[in-house]
Amino acid sequence: MNPRSVTLGLLVLLLLAGCRGGKDNREGESRESPAAAGSGGGARVESQAGVVLDSATERRIGLVLEPLRPSSRGTEIRLPGELIADPAGSSILRAPIAGKLVAAGHPWPSFGDSLVEGIEIAQVADARPLLVPRGGTVVKVMAQPGELVQAGQELLEIAEYNRPLARVAWRADAPATPPRVLRLSPLGSPEKEVSAHLVGPASEADPLTRREAWLYRAEVGWPGARPGNAIIALVPDPRGGRGEVLVPLGAVVQWESLAWVFVQHGRGHFVRTRVPTDHPTPGGWLVRDGVTARDTVVVRGAEQLLSEEFRARITVGEEVGE
């Protein structure tokens, strides 16, 4: 046989073997891909990070899904404000005559103590015992038992905090006419929303924004409500716009200082989607972008899904050192 023919035949056989081996390797990689196998693994859909899970992994994680609901409140504007001292909510206990101040009926209070209206608190000389004029919290103590006081001298200042007074800074995008009723919440505690009624314009502009400000009185107080506390006022957005959806607290996970939810894209397939969290509300956030009321999100097990996503990246990605 011609040596040249033998050499050509061997080369053809080697080329065929190499092609078959490459095909087998690619098939093996495909079989090992978590996303292709349908088990827990990373996937990319519409340029968003996603996770594909089989039913066994879903049960192990304990996923709970929930369709998003449109907000019944409509769009709102959040206005900054603070609680201020309320002249109508404080009272002063004064000495009726000159003489020695003596505690009577009730221990002489200290700053921060609570007093009940009508209790006997002190006596000056031989005058009739002094009664607490209004219940509330002691905010100033201007005299002590045993001291000689003058007629009309201030002894105690008592303030009520059961209906706090708030000054709300008005922005250009807020309603031109302040609403008669709005909602207030302490800054950082959106779950403590209370209704507040318009009192009137503030005598001065807001000290921080230098904008026009309006006074609102809350219907009820909350623990720690004191002058100087920052609050948020929620008013209807006059510009309208498309509605918001309520994203539950348990649906949101934090990654790279951003908030995300896992939206279901078919059975066992979840896509991580960014959502804004600048509108907190009791039980979650009001969200206008990123998700809609047509979406179903993971409300329990989102943190585990995030772990599954990055575990899959390590499994199918390049190994360290390559």
Side-chain angles (χ1 to χ4, degrees):
M1 180 178 293
N2 191 330
R4 183 177 179 182
S5 300
V6 173
T7 302
L8 290 174
L10 289 175
L11 288 173
V12 170
L13 289 175
L14 288 173
L15 288 172
L16 290 174
C19 292
R20 181 176 182 83
K23 179 179 180 182
D24 290 344
N25 288 338
R26 286 193 298 273
E27 290 178 351
E29 290 173 358
S30 177
R31 287 193 298 270
E32 292 173 2
S33 172
S39 60
R44 303 289 295 187
V45 174
E46 299 175 358
S47 301
Q48 293 174 299
V51 182
V52 177
L53 302 179
D54 57 23
S55 56
T57 305
E58 284 192 46
R59 289 193 299 270
R60 174 176 59 81
I61 294 177
L63 293 186
V64 176
L65 308 180
E66 185 176 299
L68 295 179
R69 298 181 288 107
S71 170
S72 60
R73 301 198 325 201
T75 56
E76 295 177 313
I77 295 176
R78 295 161 53 86
L79 301 175
E82 69 170 338
L83 300 184
I84 62 174
D86 183 7
S90 63
S91 57
I92 303 292
L93 183 67
R94 301 176 184 273
I97 62 174
K100 184 178 181 180
L101 175 66
V102 179
H106 186 281
W108 188 249
S110 301
F111 174 81
D113 287 351
S114 296
L115 296 177
V116 178
E117 180 180 351
I119 64 171
E120 186 177 314
I121 192 72
Q123 185 172 359
V124 178
D126 57 355
R128 296 178 61 181
L130 295 174
L131 305 181
V132 174
R134 177 188 291 181
T137 302
V138 177
V139 294
K140 286 184 181 179
V141 179
M142 290 84 88
Q144 293 291 336
E147 294 181 5
L148 293 175
V149 296
Q150 302 299 315
Q153 180 177 333
E154 296 181 351
L155 307 177
L156 296 174
E157 182 177 351
I158 304 165
E160 286 184 322
Y161 297 126
N162 57 343
R163 297 189 63 199
L165 185 66
R167 180 180 57 222
V168 180
W170 226 246
R171 295 202 315 247
D173 57 346
T177 301
R180 186 176 60 85
V181 179
L182 50 67
R183 294 193 315 281
L184 300 177
S185 67
L187 186 65
S189 301
E191 70 282 357
K192 298 178 182 178
E193 287 187 2
V194 300
S195 295
H197 295 262
L198 177 64
V199 175
S203 59
E204 298 178 351
D206 180 78
L208 295 179
T209 64
R210 307 310 303 170
R211 291 184 177 274
E212 180 183 24
W214 293 83
L215 301 181
Y216 281 84
R217 187 180 301 282
E219 288 185 348
V220 295
W222 57 86
R226 298 292 185 270
N229 289 171
I231 55 94
I232 293 295
L234 303 172
V235 299
D237 189 341
R239 298 166 298 180
R242 60 192 179 91
E244 300 169 319
V245 294
L246 175 63
V247 175
L249 288 172
V252 176
V253 293
Q254 299 290 328
W255 182 64
E256 289 190 342
S257 300
L258 298 174
W260 308 80
V261 296
F262 280 95
V263 179
Q264 186 182 40
H265 282 226
R267 184 175 180 82
H269 187 189
F270 307 94
V271 173
R272 178 163 51 83
T273 304
R274 182 181 170 186
V275 293
T277 54
D278 51 350
H279 287 161
T281 191
W285 288 271
L286 294 177
V287 174
R288 190 182 298 182
D289 301 305
V291 291
T292 70
R294 297 187 299 272
D295 291 326
T296 296
V297 300
V298 175
V299 296
R300 183 184 302 168
E303 291 284 356
Q304 290 88 332
L305 268 186
L306 190 63
S307 298
E308 287 289 330
E309 176 189 333
F310 291 106
R311 183 182 67 82
R313 288 188 185 183
I314 296 174
T315 301
V316 301
E318 295 183 355
E319 294 185 1
V320 176
E322 291 187 346

